């Protein structure tokens, strides 16, 4: 009776297809944390956006192994790298089909033209599609790929060649990242002809394991398993539903009640009760992440080093770790996690010292009662389980040294958009690594090229930038490590950020879920995952 009631509830809600019970479909409901801003991965930088697009609808030329950082073939079966490291030739997988939907039916399989469209659109601001639908590509430009790709050629239908201006030691890893998802050039042409180019971001077409069906903002996203996927063993779910809820306690209640089979970002306070649930499993692993506070160095008084040093010293990090992370995090000293190769273990914090902070502020001419804005994220992220509480604690810490912080927040998409435009004074944000390379932290988050993107401190230091660019252009790992350690020393000295914590990642799910792998990059993927009856 209970089982029939649950099925009836799903049917009424429209969450599963009208399938005869004798041929019941395999369905997985994922309690996700927020609404994606869109479904065109190249436009975005957050896991919320990537989970709903890059990890479901799309593929890339290269891809990361499930649950790991190793690069394996994706839409490219193999690749050749020139001896000088300046050209990469990709041999494309044959017979890969793009999705057929109510709004698009492909007439051909995936080929080199699709790769050219995807990357030329990012490279060329005067590209016809980009002119019809003006967009920016923050990852692509933050990593300097727009400047470094000198030429992109179609050698034949199944072979493409990238030529670079300078060696990029992380190029293969970068192409496995979400932003490099491959679009259908044929679909783009159809949209362009119909004057509906913007639909590429709302009605996605890819080659991935799941086919987009519909999206209701702040409610749900529906996908179906791709029956024609090039790797059929990866598609074990017929219907995948993202049930969107920003409230962590609601997500956990739904998980306990069996209304979803996988959830995300449990609150530290909920961990013990979740572990005691007989029907749940909760794998965990050390987070490849950092939660931090960024100071907008273009705003006064944050343009002064002494002010940034003072606010950094005024933060009681251990108090935040205890209250916000509740045992599920470790104190962060550096701008990237200790598990990242080239991490400089010699770097130490200035330490909690409100008296010294007050003195520095006085010397910098900052008046008692100076008001600033402190932005707090509206969503949970792997690197910050409760930004609101963290902001309140920072507000209290800074009040002790004479700084009045007004806490500001926006809807997640708006938060990111405004922050990248530099509207904040100080901002809570964080990062989960994307590709296992140090440049993904030091270049993407703190490099000069990333201002307007993920460099929320809007900080540009010539010596720092010189080192990270030199390191990126060298293939020798030891030489790169030396340069990255020097860059970390500069970052710590100049204080554009206050690193706060590295969190442990917990992934609560039903015991009926099999094959799920925790991504070191903070993404949630359902290919290769099955649900038992």
């Amino acid at each position: 009776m209970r089982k029939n009631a649950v099925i009836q509830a799903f049917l009424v809600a429209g969450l599963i297809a009208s399938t005869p019970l004798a041929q019941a479909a395999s369905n997985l409901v994922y309690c996700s944390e927020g609404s994606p801003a869109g479904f065109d991965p190249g436009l975005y930088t957050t896991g919320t956006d990537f989970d709903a697009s890059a990890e479901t609808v799309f593929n890339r030329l290269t891809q990361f192994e499930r649950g790991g950082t190793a690069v394996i073939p994706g839409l490219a079966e193999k690749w050749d790298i020139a001896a000088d490291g300046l050209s990469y030739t990709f041999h494309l997988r044959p017979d890969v089909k793009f999705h057929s939907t109510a709004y698009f039916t492909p007439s051909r399989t995936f080929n080199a033209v699709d790769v050219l469209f995807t990357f030329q659109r990012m490279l060329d601001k005067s590209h016809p599609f980009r002119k019809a639908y003006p967009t920016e590509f923050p990852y692509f430009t933050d990593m300097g790929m727009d400047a470094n790709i000198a030429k992109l050629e179609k050698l034949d239908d199944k072979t493409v060649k990238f030529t670079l201006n300078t060696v990029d030691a992380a190029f293969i890893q970068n192409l496995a990242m979400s932003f490099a998802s491959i679009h259908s050039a044929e679909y783009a042409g159809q949209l362009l002809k119909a004057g509906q180019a913007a639909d590429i971001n709302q009605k996605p077409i890819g080659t991935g394991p799941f086919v987009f069906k519909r999206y209701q903002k702040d409610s749900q996203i529906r996908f179906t398993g791709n029956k024609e996927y090039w790797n059929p063993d990866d598609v074990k779910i017929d219907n995948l539903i993202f049930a969107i809820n920003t409230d962590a306690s609601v997500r956990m209640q739904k998980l306990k009640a069996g209304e979803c089979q996988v959830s995300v970002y449990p609150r530290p306070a909920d961990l013990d009760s979740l572990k005691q649930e007989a029907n749940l499993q909760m794998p965990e692993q050390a987070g490849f992440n950092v939660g931090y506070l960024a100071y907008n160095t273009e705003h006064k008084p944050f343009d002064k080093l002494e002010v940034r040093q003072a606010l950094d010293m005024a933060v009681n990090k251990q108090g935040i770790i205890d209250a916000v992370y509740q045992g599920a995090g470790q104190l962060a000293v550096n701008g990237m996690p200790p598990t990242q190769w080239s991490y400089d273990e010699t770097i130490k914090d200035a330490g909690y010292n409100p008296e010294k902070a007050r003195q520095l502020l006085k010397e910098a001419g900052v008046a008692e009662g100076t008001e600033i804005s402190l932005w707090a994220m509206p969503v949970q992220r792997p690197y910050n389980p409760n930004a609101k509480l963290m902001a309140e604690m920072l507000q209290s810490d800074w009040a002790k040294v004479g700084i009045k912080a007004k806490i500001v927040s926006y809807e997640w998409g708006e938060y990111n958009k405004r922050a990248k435009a530099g509207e904040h004074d100080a901002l809570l944000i964080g990062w989960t690594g994307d590709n296992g390379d140090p440049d993904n932290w030091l270049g993407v988050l703190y490099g000069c090229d990333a201002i307007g993107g993920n460099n929320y401190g809007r900080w540009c230091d010539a010596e720092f930038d010189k080192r990270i660019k030199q390191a990126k252009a060298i293939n020798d790992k030891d030489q790169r490590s030396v340069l990255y350690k020097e860059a970390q020393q500069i970052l710590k000295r100049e204080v554009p950020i206050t690193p706060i914590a590295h969190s442990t990642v917990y992934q609560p799910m039903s015991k009926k879920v099999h094959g799920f792998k925790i991504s070191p990059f903070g993404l949630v993927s359902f290919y290769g995952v099955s649900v038992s009856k």
Side-chain angles (χ1 to χ4, degrees), residues 138 296 298-299 375 410 413-425 427 450-458:
N296 188 340
E298 293 181 351
H299 283 195
W375 289 28
Y410 297 95
E414 189 71 10
Y415 186 92
N416 278 282
K417 179 182 176 182
R418 288 174 176 266
K420 286 172 181 173
E423 294 183 19
H424 59 287
D425 288 333
L427 166 118
I451 293 175
N454 292 302
N455 183 344
Y456 294 102
R458 304 181 76 82

Side-chain angles (χ1 to χ4, degrees), residues 440-488:
N440 185 242
W441 304 90
L442 301 179
V444 172
L445 301 183
Y446 320 117
C448 296
D449 292 340
I451 293 175
N454 292 302
N455 183 344
Y456 294 102
R458 304 181 76 82
W459 174 73
C460 180
D461 183 283
E463 288 302 311
F464 176 89
D465 225 52
K466 177 182 177 182
R467 285 165 173 78
I468 62 171
K469 285 179 175 174
Q470 285 177 335
K472 193 177 179 182
I474 298 171
N475 282 316
D476 185 278
K477 192 173 181 179
D478 291 337
Q479 292 181 45
R480 296 184 76 204
S481 287
V482 169
L483 289 164
Y484 284 132
K485 286 181 179 181
E486 291 176 0
Q488 289 167 69

Side-chain angles (χ1 to χ4, degrees), residues 16 24 32 121 171 174 176 199-200 254 261 355 360 415 465 477 482 491 525 533:
I16 59 176
S32 68
R121 176 183 166 221
F171 189 68
N174 291 344
D199 277 2
I200 200 170
K254 286 179 175 289
Q261 288 73 52
E355 294 80 13
L360 284 171
Y415 186 92
D465 225 52
K477 192 173 181 179
V482 169
L491 181 73
S525 307
K533 302 299 182 185

Side-chain angles (χ1 to χ4, degrees), residues 92-131:
L92 307 182
R93 191 176 299 277
D95 303 320
V96 174
K97 295 181 179 180
F98 280 101
H99 300 160
S100 292
T101 68
Y103 50 89
F104 177 69
T105 303
S107 67
R108 61 166 178 81
T109 56
F110 158 73
N111 66 34
V113 174
D114 304 302
V115 179
L116 263 62
F117 166 76
T118 298
F119 287 95
Q120 285 173 342
R121 176 183 166 221
M122 291 192 279
L123 284 165
D124 183 6
K125 291 186 178 181
S126 63
H127 189 279
F129 197 91
R130 192 161 170 181
K131 290 176 75 174

Side-chain angles (χ1 to χ4, degrees), residues 7-37:
I7 292 173
Q8 182 64 31
F10 273 108
L11 288 172
V12 170
L15 289 178
I16 59 176
S18 299
T19 308
L21 293 182
Q23 301 173 354
S26 172
N27 305 294
L28 189 149
V29 180
Y30 164 54
C31 281
S32 68
E33 81 288 359
S35 295

Side-chain angles (χ1 to χ4, degrees), residues 388-409:
K388 183 176 182 294
L389 175 58
M390 188 182 292
E392 290 168 351
M393 296 184 73
L394 288 167
Q395 184 183 51
S396 175
D397 286 343
W398 287 345
K400 295 171 185 174
V401 298
I403 298 294
K404 290 185 177 180
K406 178 185 177 183
I407 297 174
V408 174
S409 193

